[in-house]
Amino acid sequence: MGRELWRDCVHWLGETGVLPRDHKTTYRDAQVFDLAQTLRDGVVLCNLLNAINPGAVDFGHVNTRPQMLKFLCIQNLRTVLYSLQNVFRIAQQDLFQPNDLYDMTNVKQVLKTLSALSHLPISSSKFRPFPLDTGQPHRNSLYKSEDEEEIYRNLPDMASERELVDEEEDLYDCVPAEDREEGIYGSLIAFKPQSASAPTSKRSFCINEIAETESNYVQHLEMMLKKFVEPLRKVLEPKDIKIIFINYDQLLPVHQDFLKSIQKEKAENSGKMSQAFLSFKDRFLLYGTYCSRLTDAQEHLKEVMSGNESIKIAVENCQNKANPSKFRLRELLCVPMQRILKYHLLVKELNKNTNDSHNDKSDLAKALDAMQELSKYVNEVKRDSEMVVTINQFESCLLDYTMQLPLHTYGHLLKDGELKVKNSSDRNSKSRFTMLFDQAIFMTSEKNGMYKLKDLVRLEDYTLDEMPQSKANKWSWNFSLTATKYGSSLTLYTKNQLDKAKWLENIKSAYDNIKPLSLKSKPHSFRMHTFKDATYCDNCNKLLLGSFFQGYFCERTNLKCHKLCLAEMWRKIENHEAPAPSTRGRPQPLVPAHSSAGFQCKAHRDYNGFPSFPSSPGAYHLRFQTGEHIEVDEKVNSEWWLGHTIMQLDRQGYFPASYVHPLDTSKPWKSSKGNYYPMRPIPFTPTVGDHPSNLADSFTSLEDAPWYAGAMNRTEAEITLKGRPSGTFLVRSRDNHLAISLTYNNEQKHIRINQSPDKMFYVAEYKNFKSVQDLVRFYQENTMSSSFLGLETTLKLPYRDPDFFPGVPPPLTNSPRPSPNHRPQHRKSQPVLPHIPPQPRGVGVNRHHSMQMTPPPRREPRMNGTQQRVAGGRNYDVIGQATVLYDFQSRSSQELGLRKHQVVNVISKAGDERGWWKGEYDGRVGYFPASFIHEI
């Protein structure tokens, strides 16, 4: 009886060399699940394709250890499928889909794909394909018994219960190790003792090794600057040199001094090698920058070489002159990281071979601790940089993301996976690919490798409720997030109990990061913080590890510490034993070049330092609670101000301008862009009435709102809002739906307003409102970023609020009323006139412009008898005539297009207060701007 197809596949994978002969999938009691679990993250498959056809997969695009995140595994599998389709030309019908393997829903299709690959000439010429044509039909069966058939049917459940991160053994033991870089270090830097001059003791041997390898490393740094950096300056831009070689020019003088220190101690025979390591620890922190940017440097080198043949030739010439036919520049760039991670091993060996009675023994222990801490710091910085790469990779696949804030601003990615989500107004749950960060949860829908952002849940605005379990079926395990300030509460469902436990564990960890349990009920001001530079904990004097959200910062005391040190630090503060904050790593506010503002505001929303000031990641933020009074010192831009609370005059920091409203209502202030705005909160009076039964009816109920623009397309809205300050907005109708158009950072954003089957309005699925007015009111009081990541602004300024933009015309309301049997139609608005041509002296100034200008003299009607004009089957009384001063292009059927020097008949001035008259020309009737004509 032949073997099952999956066992043939295991044998084939062993022949290719990507699985060791003694891999667990070869055991007698192995199951098809073991094979699927091994292939599940795509790493082995990427190695397989390169084993068959070297270069088929670019490992620069492969996440080699992705077991913690489904997103990375899926991306790897997409890389595999791209190569199978475009390099190996396997037919579409023979390919599997990423979820077929990751979720193990169709492992048989995966085996079919691998079988097709094995029979390609490029593969079968090297390795025996599977299955062989032996006339035994059972060999094409995935299983040979009912027991194995049951296992196959249970694979999806087994996959959900056994995540890759749960594996006890290292999944990557079967992946060939990349030891070429280590070979480079051994060839260039490693100690090569001469037997004739062998030292008399092991300790002397260790000292010689430290000195010689450091000398070799300094020579390497000098070689890189002389034979690569200097020649390549002739063909590369300065920014390219900076990206590729990072801070090589800073590393060299550090290690030249370090080598001198080592040689001095060795020559004096003092034996105090520890002092060199202790004194240079802080200078070695440069490697945090180098190691965090190494991957970007290598990728940038690859890009410039592939995009420019002359640069490629120049780099290859440098390689040949530096080390003929030996090492590539990409590999040489790894040497500094390898060197810095050797120091703790060198000191450890020296300490091991130093007698307890030696005068350097106690200090060597300190040096070892310092170098181990340095090594851990470098590794954590490197890990965080890889985390940022992963987050950026997800960000690049994320639709409806405004790109105003980097996604990693929300912290580390803790967990991802599929959840089913239902809010308080939903009848049914919806499947969402969910990503949990330190401070927020992103809920998306996935299609063809792209992710559409559905909702953003800021954890600080929700509480976690584990909920008692009433059912134990698939997708019945649930917990809830209850809104504490605004928005809808959510119920989240997991596949099984284990999945629920993992989600809860990570969400609780995120909450503990935001509000540490060790400081529960304490009146503290410690918050998670990203420190721009290497920073020490003020409690334990150890480095804060990583490159973002490394630790906690107290804005009242300027103290910094690890999460584990919070309780002890707070005890010291309470007992007045707190140390003076160290100056290293302290966030310094960026001093803007603006004049003093000098006015007071009141907070209408809590601010805890997040979002952070985008122009300076390490900036000091002013934290406050709703109701606190803030003195504004600087208006940095329309989005960010600098100031201090009235109760803490010595604490100055940045905060979002949208979180406060000015108290002074008597006079306007001038922004940095020169525009004047009244210094008072923006009022909003909603229209009366319940939500309409359909969109057409809802349009007529909105006409009195200062933000409603009527019928207007995207282009018209962008013209209308162009040049307006951030936060200016309008609501418009288009193709039987409504949309918000908003100015933010000199750009116009457009957000569709949707309506659910139960007549609720929303722009984000989990924030539903009974009326459009309620929706607008909510986003006037709460930042748009609560639903759209990066839009850190409220709906501040209605585009025709008379206090801000006097003279802007509203949608027309004097159209003939429809008959009782006429189907309601929404009425088109008169669009705003964004740009008025220069007007000659004495003609009158445009009243639609936002600047304060002298209004034109009022025109009294001139009656010209009973002259009438007929247009469209109707008679109109002509009350006057006017000469057209400027061209006017109509944008709807209710407007009258005009050309300069034409004479138009005026038939109504009913809209004069709003800047619009009604007229007739050549049989056409419509509205036009009163400031565009001169009455005869």
Side-chain angles (χ1 to χ4, degrees):
M1 187 178 197
R3 293 181 302 182
E4 300 84 4
L5 185 65
W6 71 267
R7 289 193 182 274
D8 285 345
C9 181
V10 169
H11 181 75
W12 177 67
L13 292 172
E15 285 193 345
T16 63
V18 297
L19 287 184
R21 297 292 184 180
D22 59 348
H23 191 260
K24 66 179 182 179
T25 53
T26 63
Y27 298 166
R28 292 178 61 89
D29 60 349
Q31 299 177 350
V32 65
F33 172 80
D34 298 313
L35 174 61
Q37 187 79 334
T38 299
L39 304 180
R40 192 178 177 189
D41 62 15
V43 178
V44 171
L45 292 178
C46 288
N47 279 285
L48 170 66
L49 300 186
N50 277 353
I52 295 173
N53 183 7
V57 173
D58 181 359
F59 259 79
H61 299 149
V62 177
N63 301 283
T64 56
R65 301 185 70 85
Q67 69 267 38
M68 292 188 67
L69 296 172
K70 177 178 179 179
F71 170 74
L72 295 182
C73 297
I74 294 295
Q75 293 300 106
N76 282 352
L77 293 175
R78 291 190 183 281
T79 299
V80 169
L81 292 168
Y82 178 85
S83 181
L84 287 172
Q85 187 171 18
N86 294 280
V87 178
F88 293 93
R89 303 297 181 182
I90 293 182
Q92 183 68 40
Q93 63 269 21
D94 289 332
L95 294 175
F96 64 90
Q97 296 301 311
N99 286 320
D100 290 345
L101 178 51
Y102 186 85
D103 294 328
M104 299 190 193
T105 54
N106 194 353
V107 175
K108 193 170 186 178
Q109 183 64 28
V110 177
L111 294 175
K112 179 181 179 181
T113 301
L114 295 180
S115 178
L117 174 65
S118 74
H119 281 86
L120 294 178
I122 193 174
S123 175
S124 60
S125 62
K126 302 177 182 177
F127 316 106
R128 187 175 62 175
F130 79 99
L132 294 174
D133 186 10
T134 61
Q136 298 179 5
H138 62 269
R139 288 177 58 85
N140 293 316
S141 174
L142 182 65
Y143 41 79
K144 64 179 181 181
S145 67
E146 293 183 1
D147 290 341
E148 294 226 12
E149 182 178 355
E150 185 66 24
I151 291 173
Y152 174 65
R153 282 199 295 262
N154 291 335
L155 283 178
D157 292 334
M158 296 173 68
S160 64
E161 293 172 0
R162 289 269 299 278
E163 292 186 1
L164 294 173
V165 71
D166 298 328
E167 295 298 308
E168 295 180 0
E169 63 179 289
D170 188 348
L171 288 173
Y172 305 99
D173 285 344
C174 57
V175 179
E178 293 288 341
D179 57 357
R180 178 170 169 80
E181 292 175 0
E182 186 66 29
I184 296 172
Y185 180 86
S187 176
L188 298 177
I189 312 297
F191 181 45
K192 303 176 181 62
Q194 301 296 324
S195 57
S197 58
T200 58
S201 68
K202 290 184 178 181
R203 188 174 191 278
S204 297
F205 181 92
C206 293
I207 293 175
N208 286 344
E209 181 179 12
I210 292 171
E212 183 175 326
T213 55
E214 188 63 26
S215 177
N216 293 341
Y217 181 53
V218 169
Q219 292 176 25
H220 167 77
L221 294 176
E222 291 172 341
M223 180 274 293
M224 290 291 289
L225 290 172
K226 181 179 179 180
K227 297 188 176 182
F228 283 94
V229 177
E230 293 304 323
L232 291 178
R233 289 188 191 278
K234 300 176 182 178
V235 294
L236 290 174
E237 296 290 334
K239 62 180 181 62
D240 295 323
I241 292 289
K242 183 66 177 176
I243 294 173
I244 294 171
F245 295 98
I246 315 174
N247 55 358
Y248 250 93
D249 54 339
Q250 296 174 340
L251 296 179
L252 178 58
V254 171
H255 285 276
Q256 286 174 332
D257 292 346
F258 182 54
L259 178 60
K260 291 177 183 177
S261 179
I262 291 174
Q263 291 173 337
K264 178 182 177 182
E265 295 294 340
K266 181 182 177 183
E268 293 178 355
N269 204 24
S270 65
K272 297 285 289 184
M273 299 297 293
S274 59
Q275 295 307 311
F277 289 97
L278 288 171
S279 59
F280 276 82
K281 176 191 172 184
D282 285 354
R283 295 184 68 180
F284 287 157
L285 294 176
L286 282 170
Y287 280 91
T289 299
Y290 187 89
C291 296
S292 66
R293 298 179 185 175
L294 177 58
T295 302
D296 290 339
Q298 292 173 320
E299 285 301 305
H300 191 72
L301 174 64
K302 178 181 176 182
E303 290 175 8
V304 296
M305 289 181 65
S306 61
N308 190 310
E309 186 66 22
S310 61
I311 293 177
K312 179 182 177 181
I313 294 173
V315 172
E316 290 174 348
N317 287 339
C318 290
Q319 290 173 170
N320 291 332
K321 291 179 181 178
N323 43 69
S325 304
K326 203 168 187 180
F327 304 123
R328 298 174 300 169
L329 175 57
R330 178 186 179 92
E331 297 161 341
L332 293 171
L333 290 173
C334 297
V335 174
M337 181 171 178
Q338 292 171 318
R339 179 58 181 172
I340 195 65
L341 295 177
K342 297 291 185 185
Y343 285 138
H344 74 286
L345 300 175
L346 292 169
V347 176
K348 182 178 180 180
E349 193 66 19
L350 178 60
N351 184 52
K352 175 183 175 182
N353 292 286
T354 299
N355 295 328
D356 293 342
S357 59
H358 197 282
N359 63 352
D360 199 27
K361 185 65 175 181
S362 59
D363 287 339
L364 272 177
K366 296 177 183 178
L368 176 58
D369 184 63
M371 291 301 102
Q372 287 176 333
E373 182 186 357
L374 177 65
S375 178
K376 191 173 182 181
Y377 168 76
V378 170
N379 278 318
E380 288 299 312
V381 168
K382 179 66 173 175
R383 189 174 73 167
D384 271 4
S385 69
E386 292 170 353
M387 171 67 75
V388 172
V389 170
T390 297
I391 294 173
N392 290 344
Q393 190 176 355
F394 175 67
E395 184 178 314
S396 68
C397 301
L398 188 61
L399 303 175
D400 295 341
Y401 175 58
T402 62
M403 298 295 291
Q404 298 296 336
L405 285 176
L407 205 57
H408 68 263
T409 306
Y410 290 91
H412 297 84
L413 181 54
L414 304 179
K415 181 172 173 57
D416 71 344
E418 185 180 5
L419 292 174
K420 291 191 176 181
V421 183
K422 183 171 70 173
N423 72 9
S424 54
S425 61
D426 284 339
R427 293 183 179 180
N428 301 313
S429 61
K430 299 175 183 178
S431 180
R432 294 287 179 254
F433 182 79
T434 305
M435 304 194 86
L436 170 66
F437 292 81
D438 281 318
Q439 297 199 350
I441 299 177
F442 286 77
M443 297 178 180
T444 68
S445 59
E446 187 270 341
K447 185 176 181 181
N448 298 327
M450 300 302 292
Y451 298 83
K452 183 177 178 63
L453 182 61
K454 291 296 185 179
D455 201 34
L456 165 61
V457 176
R458 295 175 182 269
L459 292 175
E460 65 177 350
D461 295 332
Y462 290 79
T463 58
L464 175 65
D465 183 2
E466 298 188 36
M467 300 178 66
Q469 194 67 37
S470 58
K471 298 180 181 179
N473 302 324
K474 188 176 181 180
W475 291 112
S476 66
W477 302 89
N478 60 81
F479 57 93
S480 69
L481 293 171
T482 304
T484 57
K485 297 181 179 179
Y486 50 81
S488 301
S489 298
L490 308 174
T491 303
L492 298 93
Y493 298 86
T494 65
K495 286 183 180 180
N496 50 53
Q497 184 178 13
L498 180 61
D499 199 27
K500 175 182 177 179
K502 291 174 181 176
W503 276 104
L504 287 176
E505 178 185 358
N506 284 278
I507 292 176
K508 287 178 181 178
S509 175
Y511 272 113
D512 192 48
N513 290 336
I514 298 171
K515 297 180 179 180
L517 292 176
S518 58
L519 295 182
K520 187 176 182 180
S521 302
K522 305 290 186 182
H524 69 93
S525 296
F526 282 100
R527 297 290 185 273
M528 290 182 68
H529 192 83
T530 294
F531 298 91
K532 185 177 180 181
D533 300 315
T535 304
Y536 284 89
C537 173
D538 288 319
N539 181 66
C540 67
N541 296 318
K542 298 288 187 181
L543 283 165
L544 299 177
L545 304 178
S547 59
F548 65 106
F549 282 6
Q550 304 100 315
Y552 288 76
F553 179 66
C554 176
E555 295 193 344
R556 292 184 179 179
T557 63
N558 287 337
L559 293 170
K560 305 166 287 293
C561 67
H562 296 99
K563 183 178 180 180
L564 293 176
C565 293
L566 282 171
E568 176 63 15
M569 181 63 78
W570 181 253
R571 185 194 66 77
K572 292 179 179 179
I573 293 174
E574 285 186 316
N575 296 333
H576 305 287
E577 300 172 357
S582 61
T583 57
R584 294 193 63 239
R586 176 178 177 179
Q588 298 293 331
L590 179 67
V591 179
H594 300 287
S595 60
S596 175
F599 61 88
Q600 290 187 13
C601 292
K602 185 177 181 180
H604 54 250
R605 183 182 178 190
D606 294 349
Y607 179 58
N608 67 350
F610 188 84
S612 58
F613 182 50
S615 299
S616 179
Y620 185 96
H621 296 91
L622 183 69
R623 303 178 189 273
F624 48 75
Q625 295 181 339
T626 302
E628 283 195 72
H629 287 201
I630 294 100
E631 180 81 17
V632 178
D633 301 319
E634 304 283 350
K635 299 179 291 292
V636 180
N637 55 44
S638 61
E639 302 301 321
W640 288 91
W641 292 349
L642 179 68
H644 57 268
T645 61
I646 303 301
M647 300 303 294
Q648 295 179 304
L649 299 180
D650 60 333
R651 300 287 185 240
Q652 186 187 61
Y654 293 95
F655 60 92
S658 61
Y659 282 49
V660 302
H661 59 263
L663 293 176
D664 183 9
T665 62
S666 61
K667 59 183 179 180
W669 61 273
K670 187 178 181 181
S671 76
S672 58
K673 293 185 178 181
N675 297 322
Y676 289 86
Y677 308 114
M679 285 309 302
R680 61 177 179 81
I682 302 171
F684 172 67
T685 304
T687 57
V688 181
D690 295 329
H691 75 277
S693 58
N694 56 60
L695 284 175
D697 291 339
S698 73
F699 294 160
T700 59
S701 67
L702 301 175
E703 290 178 346
D704 292 335
W707 35 260
Y708 181 61
M712 183 182 291
N713 61 31
R714 177 188 291 253
T715 302
E716 292 169 346
E718 290 178 350
I719 294 173
T720 298
L721 295 174
K722 186 176 181 180
R724 301 290 182 91
S726 284
T728 305
F729 75 101
L730 58 84
V731 175
R732 56 188 175 85
S733 65
R734 180 70 175 174
D735 299 330
N736 206 35
H737 71 264
L738 292 173
I740 298 173
S741 294
L742 168 69
T743 294
Y744 182 67
N745 282 354
N746 296 320
E747 295 181 356
Q748 283 69 51
K749 308 293 182 181
H750 305 278
I751 304 166
R752 178 167 178 160
I753 299 176
N754 301 290
Q755 191 174 25
S756 65
D758 55 352
K759 308 302 182 183
M760 300 291 284
F761 294 90
Y762 65 92
V763 292
E765 293 188 8
Y766 301 114
K767 295 180 178 66
N768 294 269
F769 305 90
K770 291 183 178 180
S771 67
V772 176
Q773 294 93 326
D774 289 342
L775 183 150
V776 170
R777 187 184 306 112
F778 172 82
Y779 288 108
Q780 285 184 313
E781 298 172 354
N782 301 283
T783 177
M784 293 294 293
S785 66
S786 63
S787 298
F788 297 95
L789 182 62
L791 273 178
E792 294 295 342
T793 181
T794 57
L795 299 181
K796 294 181 186 177
L797 310 176
Y799 86 108
R800 57 184 178 86
D801 187 309
D803 292 320
F804 291 87
F805 312 111
V808 177
L812 295 179
T813 58
N814 56 351
S815 301
R817 293 180 178 273
S819 63
N821 297 326
H822 181 72
R823 184 175 180 178
Q825 299 289 330
H826 62 271
R827 304 173 201 168
K828 295 185 177 181
S829 71
Q830 299 294 343
V832 179
L833 303 176
H835 296 292
I836 308 301
Q839 301 186 31
R841 185 181 302 275
V843 171
V845 185
N846 173 25
R847 288 166 289 176
H848 310 300
H849 200 276
S850 61
M851 299 295 291
Q852 303 291 334
M853 296 183 178
T854 305
R858 181 165 181 81
R859 305 180 182 90
E860 298 295 335
R862 277 178 37 197
M863 302 303 297
N864 295 327
T866 58
Q867 181 183 0
Q868 290 189 335
R869 299 289 293 180
V870 179
R874 292 185 58 185
N875 294 327
Y876 295 93
D877 291 333
V878 177
I879 62 174
Q881 290 185 317
T883 301
V884 180
L885 300 175
Y886 315 106
D887 291 346
F888 172 63
Q889 182 68 41
S890 64
R891 295 177 239 185
S892 74
S893 60
Q894 291 184 318
E895 295 176 354
L896 179 63
L898 301 173
R899 293 290 179 266
K900 187 176 180 179
H901 303 310
Q902 288 178 345
V903 176
V904 62
N905 294 311
V906 180
I907 58 179
S908 174
K909 298 182 179 180
D912 184 61
E913 291 184 358
R914 295 172 177 173
W916 292 84
W917 287 4
K918 191 173 184 178
E920 180 272 339
Y921 179 81
D922 196 21
R924 295 178 290 110
V925 173
Y927 292 86
F928 55 86
S931 60
F932 273 45
I933 54 90
H934 176 67
E935 193 171 10
I936 301 174

